[in-house]
Structure formats: C-alpha cells, structure tokens
C-alpha cells in the first residue's frame, strides 16, 4: 500500500499561461528527485465544476507525506506559488 495526495487547483483569473506553466514546473520539481510518482498537468476539459490543474503524488506511507508537508521545500512552494497563484484548492489523500 502507498499514500496518494491529490490536488485540484483553480488558478487566479489574472494568471498568464507562462505563470501557469511555472506553477506546473514547481509542482514537478518538488517530487522529481525524491523518488515519488507524480502526475501533474492542466485540465483539458471544460465545465462549471472543472478545475484548471491536477496533481497526484504517491508517497510510500502517511509518515512520508506528513514529512513532506512539514518540509521547508513544501513551505517555500506554498509561499512562492500556492498563495500567489491559486484561487481555489481541493485536496484529498487516499490509501492505495
């Protein structure tokens, strides 16, 4: 079993395409060299209940996820990308 973290993002309306791409790159960079499975991409659908972007990250267990959330890297990501770029956020975790 592993621990999956799923994030859905609605960007602030004023964000440019370049800023949206920078956000996606920042999400991938957080996990790329840590041996975590990550899938992060913009939504290609449309509709009133759709979000702009989704990311899933698999951790070996909940303790690894909690350590990530408390890490300086995650805190910097929230300050530099999350807070200034995200309008709405939906997050769930699953045991898979």
């Amino acid at each position: 079993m592993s621990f999956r973290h799923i994030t859905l993002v609605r960007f602030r309306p004023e964000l440019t395409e370049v800023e949206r791409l920078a956000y996606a790159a920042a999400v991938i960079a957080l996990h790329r060299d840590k041996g975590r499975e990550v899938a992060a991409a913009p939504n290609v659908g449309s509709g009133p209940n759709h979000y702009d972007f989704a990311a899933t990250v698999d951790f070996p267990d909940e303790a690894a996820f909690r350590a990530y959330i408390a890490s300086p890297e995650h805190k910097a990501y929230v300050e530099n990308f999350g807070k200034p770029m995200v309008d709405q956020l939906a997050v769930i975790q699953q045991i898979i």
Side-chain angles (χ1 to χ4, degrees):
M1 286 194 302
S2 60
F3 193 86
R4 178 167 285 166
H5 175 61
I6 302 168
T7 306
L8 302 174
V9 171
R10 281 196 184 117
F11 290 117
R12 294 186 186 276
E14 66 273 12
L15 245 56
T16 66
E17 187 62 26
V18 169
E19 290 169 318
R20 289 172 183 235
L21 291 171
Y23 181 92
V27 169
I28 292 167
L30 277 172
H31 306 287
R32 167 183 16 198
D33 298 329
K34 307 285 193 280
R36 300 179 194 127
E37 290 292 322
V38 60
N43 178 25
V44 296
S46 62
N49 296 320
H50 285 229
Y51 282 74
D52 300 316
F53 179 86
T56 61
V57 184
D58 292 342
F59 295 84
D61 54 36
E62 185 175 353
F65 167 73
R66 299 283 172 214
Y68 155 72
I69 291 296
S71 72
E73 294 86 7
H74 180 261
K75 290 178 181 182
Y77 154 78
V78 169
E79 289 301 316
N80 296 319
F81 293 93
K83 287 181 180 179
M85 296 183 171
V86 174
D87 187 37
Q88 289 184 317
L89 186 69
V91 178
I92 65 168
Q93 288 84 37
Q94 301 172 322
I95 307 273
I96 57 168

